[in-house]
Amino acid sequence: EQKLGYKIPWIVMFNWDPGLNTGLNLEIIKNIIRQGKEMGIYCYCITQKSYADDWEKIATVFSENQDCAFFWYFNTDISLDHNFLSPISNVMVLLNLNRESTADCSLKLKELGAMYGIVKEYSSVDDVTVKDLSSTETFERYGTPFIFFLADDECGDDIKTQVGDIILKARLK
């Protein structure tokens, strides 16, 4: 950043589906990260849309780029039966609140000492759910202070404002 004289406050986002041949694979992700670092980008979010058993392959991307921060968002049910995350300090695993596996996975990540958070996706049809989120007690069972609210593409501005107000009120308690 300093060498080029400007700062890039970007997070490069990847929608990766290891179960499909979408053209985005780990080699392409590694190449984009290398190019991003040359431009001063050191934060990446990988949204994993399907479960994959070869955890070690994605773990190499994280460990080879210790100077970067990664958000690894699982938008699918997963089973964390591997301990590869415990030595990796530059990754925050994000679990979808609406998945059955989230409670079990959050306990496992806590035991491993891994950094993790939960994501609540919402849309304009989630009015009741959004109102229910005004209580932070809902999240205490997941053992993490990191809660991300993610609006889907169809979410209206009125709902985004309502969620923002709820978050603000919860933080001011």
Side-chain angles (χ1 to χ4, degrees), residues 8-58:
I8 303 174
W10 293 350
I11 297 176
V12 175
M13 308 205 40
F14 300 101
N15 288 317
W16 179 51
D17 192 337
L20 297 175
N21 185 7
T22 60
L24 182 64
N25 58 42
L26 292 179
E27 288 307 313
I28 292 172
I29 290 173
K30 286 180 186 182
N31 189 38
I32 292 171
I33 291 170
R34 183 187 54 75
Q35 292 174 20
K37 287 166 53 170
E38 290 173 1
M39 294 188 296
I41 302 170
Y42 291 89
C43 191
Y44 299 88
C45 179
I46 298 173
T47 299
Q48 186 165 333
K49 297 187 176 219
S50 68
Y51 183 77
D53 283 327
D54 50 354
W55 302 103
E56 292 79 14
K57 290 181 182 175
I58 189 74

Side-chain angles (χ1 to χ4, degrees), residues 16 25-27 29-30 33 37 46 54-68 70 72 84-85 87-88 90-91:
W16 179 51
N25 58 42
L26 292 179
E27 288 307 313
I29 290 173
K30 286 180 186 182
I33 291 170
K37 287 166 53 170
I46 298 173
D54 50 354
W55 302 103
E56 292 79 14
K57 290 181 182 175
I58 189 74
T60 62
V61 173
F62 304 142
S63 61
E64 289 173 359
N65 294 284
Q66 286 291 318
D67 55 343
C68 294
F70 291 93
W72 188 13
F84 75 85
L85 276 173
I88 301 175
N90 61 335
V91 178

Side-chain angles (χ1 to χ4, degrees), residues 80-95:
L80 289 177
D81 51 358
H82 301 282
N83 292 335
F84 75 85
L85 276 173
S86 55
I88 301 175
S89 61
N90 61 335
V91 178
M92 175 179 270
V93 175
L94 301 175
L95 303 169

